[in-house]
Amino acid sequence: MNILPNGRQSVGGRFKSLSLAGNSNDKAESDLRTEWLRSFGLLSKDEVPVYCHESYISHGYRQNPSSIRYCITSALHPTNETLNVWTHGLPCFLLLWFNISFAIEHFGDLSWTDNLFFPYWFFVFGVTITLFGSACAHMFNCISPGIREACFCCDYGFIALQALGVTCCFTFYVCPYTCMGYGKGAWFSPYVTILLGNVVTVASACYTRYPGVPYRHVFRILPFVLMFTLLNVPCLSKYATIHNTNVSYNATINQAVSVCNIAKSSFASYDFNKLCISMLSGAIIQGLKFPECFKPGMFDVVGHSHQIFHLFTALGIYYQSVLIQGSLREVIALNKLGHLKAEQLNITDSTGLHFPLFCNALSMIVAVYYSYDLYCKCTHLPNHTKEK
């Protein structure tokens, strides 16, 4: 379907004439909105295959199958995916700059490859690949049915990498399980459980992409919620009792006290609360499909739940970055004073580098396996446009 300049002009003229006539009829506005979207070569829900359908989204669908070039150019005009691309594409580069700037400013004469910084680099890599991968998944998912499923399976794998980076930073910098009073080695079992749990989470989310899986949205989201909750249990315990605004350090504090007092301030508590509120708000809005569920068709291009979910997710990741940077700033200060070493935070080559790398690779192997399998199974899906 061609995009004609005079088509756009005609639609613009009709909007203008409707405005001058003072006509506020909902149906007339809907017809004009539909015609405007059609001027960009977009399709209605009834004109695209069932596997492309989104709840309460009536129009703004791109042609499927399509080309890579079409996908790229479609990010520059209104579709129901355009803002999904930009609400993660722009935060990707902004947060990468934010985190790299922190490293330049605060790492000082310490080597960027010091064991102390392994968890932080896993977090920066996870954030960047997750946001960039999500933007690409939304941009290229209309190439073919198989590519669509592969895009979103890889997207789940990237989310697991981000979760793994957060796990490393929270376990070693912010709120390790050790500080809940369960003993010196208390961090290890939850750490391993969460990291390996990410692999299971990716498998569960990817499996729900197969046709006919019951309660697919529940099994797609629930494992991520459980992992997030398990990761944050020490933080919930730690920040529920925060009363101090600052904690001072001195040369006589022992290992347990120095580790557990990191990021133990009202400022850190506020950042953690804002992080949780952002993530929870995004999940609720996405789950309720708000606001498009109240007026289908009105929010096809701007304002639907997934766009809002992306914004809250990016905001939550920003607060994660602020909380982790604040903790790491204290760790660096203690390290320079000789009060704290990477080994005292349990960061070694094995725990801080090799095992997380292994889990990273395992998560992506699972995502790629499901991506390939779904690509093969879905490549020849029937191009029907009606729900059965």
Side-chain angles (χ1 to χ4, degrees), residues 3 123 216 222 273 332:
I3 300 173
F123 171 72
R216 61 174 60 206
L222 186 60
N273 291 337
I332 292 171

Side-chain angles (χ1 to χ4, degrees), residues 254-334:
N254 60 36
Q255 173 187 334
V257 173
S258 63
V259 171
C260 296
N261 276 345
I262 293 171
K264 195 169 184 179
S265 69
S266 59
F267 302 109
S269 178
Y270 295 150
D271 289 330
F272 176 72
N273 291 337
K274 287 183 281 190
L275 151 66
C276 290
I277 291 170
S278 299
M279 293 295 192
L280 184 61
S281 299
I284 291 173
I285 288 171
Q286 170 68 11
L288 295 177
K289 299 295 181 182
F290 175 85
E292 65 267 23
C293 65
F294 292 109
K295 199 162 185 179
M298 176 63 72
F299 303 98
D300 289 348
V301 174
V302 179
H304 63 72
S305 59
H306 203 75
Q307 297 166 359
I308 301 172
F309 168 70
H310 273 200
L311 290 173
F312 273 112
T313 300
L315 186 62
I317 292 175
Y318 167 74
Y319 287 125
Q320 280 179 345
S321 301
V322 171
L323 179 59
I324 290 167
Q325 288 179 5
S327 306
L328 188 52
R329 193 179 294 114
E330 296 180 27
V331 168
I332 292 171
L334 288 170

Side-chain angles (χ1 to χ4, degrees), residues 331-372:
V331 168
I332 292 171
L334 288 170
N335 179 267
K336 288 181 176 179
L337 290 172
H339 298 168
L340 193 64
K341 298 183 183 300
E343 293 74 17
Q344 291 175 273
L345 294 170
N346 299 309
I347 305 174
T348 64
D349 285 344
S350 296
T351 63
L353 180 61
H354 299 151
F355 188 63
L357 274 177
F358 169 75
C359 291
N360 260 327
L362 203 55
S363 294
M364 288 313 302
I365 288 171
V366 170
V368 170
Y369 165 78
Y370 277 104
S371 295
Y372 178 74

Side-chain angles (χ1 to χ4, degrees), residues 3-282:
I3 300 173
L4 302 175
N6 61 344
R8 292 197 187 96
Q9 185 178 4
S10 172
V11 173
R14 289 187 63 182
F15 267 118
K16 184 177 180 180
S17 63
L18 180 68
S19 175
L20 290 173
N23 189 343
S24 60
N25 182 272
D26 284 348
K27 187 177 186 305
E29 290 181 7
S30 177
D31 289 344
L32 283 178
R33 189 163 52 246
T34 297
E35 205 167 327
W36 177 63
L37 291 174
R38 284 194 182 283
S39 74
F40 291 96
L42 302 176
L43 307 174
S44 69
K45 191 172 188 175
D46 292 336
E47 296 172 309
V48 296
V50 171
Y51 56 79
C52 295
H53 290 185
E54 299 291 345
S55 300
Y56 307 109
I57 302 298
S58 304
H59 214 294
Y61 291 89
R62 296 174 295 175
Q63 302 168 44
N64 191 314
S66 61
S67 66
I68 293 176
R69 180 180 179 182
Y70 172 78
C71 292
I72 294 172
T73 57
S74 71
L76 301 176
H77 65 72
T79 75
N80 57 23
E81 287 282 25
T82 300
L83 288 183
N84 287 338
V85 174
W86 291 107
T87 50
H88 265 182
L90 289 177
C92 167
F93 295 104
L94 291 173
L95 286 167
L96 178 61
W97 172 81
F98 180 65
N99 284 298
I100 294 295
S101 297
F102 172 82
I104 294 172
E105 182 179 354
H106 293 282
F107 286 10
D109 54 355
L110 293 173
S111 170
W112 284 27
T113 58
D114 193 292
N115 285 14
L116 194 65
F117 304 130
F118 286 161
Y120 182 72
W121 291 127
F122 272 115
F123 171 72
V124 174
F125 172 75
V127 168
T128 305
I129 196 68
T130 297
L131 295 177
F132 184 76
S134 174
C136 289
H138 284 287
M139 182 182 293
F140 296 111
N141 66 50
C142 67
I143 293 177
S144 72
I147 293 293
R148 177 183 175 84
E149 300 307 317
C151 279
F152 288 119
C153 278
C154 288
D155 191 21
Y156 302 145
F158 295 147
I159 292 171
L161 301 192
Q162 195 269 338
L164 187 145
V166 176
T167 299
C168 292
C169 286
F170 275 29
T171 299
F172 297 124
Y173 301 149
V174 184
C175 42
Y177 268 81
T178 308
C179 300
M180 294 184 68
Y182 297 143
K184 183 178 179 180
W187 65 275
F188 185 75
S189 294
Y191 178 64
V192 171
T193 301
I194 296 170
L195 263 59
L196 292 178
N198 278 319
V199 180
V200 178
T201 297
V202 173
S204 172
C206 290
Y207 180 73
T208 64
R209 304 296 308 184
Y210 288 96
V213 175
Y215 308 108
R216 61 174 60 206
H217 294 295
V218 174
F219 290 112
R220 190 175 298 168
I221 296 172
L222 186 60
F224 287 106
V225 173
L226 291 176
M227 289 296 102
F228 182 81
T229 303
L230 184 60
L231 170 63
N232 284 285
V233 164
C235 294
L236 291 169
S237 172
K238 179 177 185 174
Y239 293 126
T241 57
I242 290 294
H243 300 294
N244 302 351
T245 56
N246 286 293
V247 177
S248 60
Y249 297 93
N250 57 68
T252 62
I253 55 179
N254 60 36
Q255 173 187 334
V257 173
S258 63
V259 171
C260 296
N261 276 345
I262 293 171
K264 195 169 184 179
S265 69
S266 59
F267 302 109
S269 178
Y270 295 150
D271 289 330
F272 176 72
N273 291 337
K274 287 183 281 190
L275 151 66
C276 290
I277 291 170
S278 299
M279 293 295 192
L280 184 61
S281 299

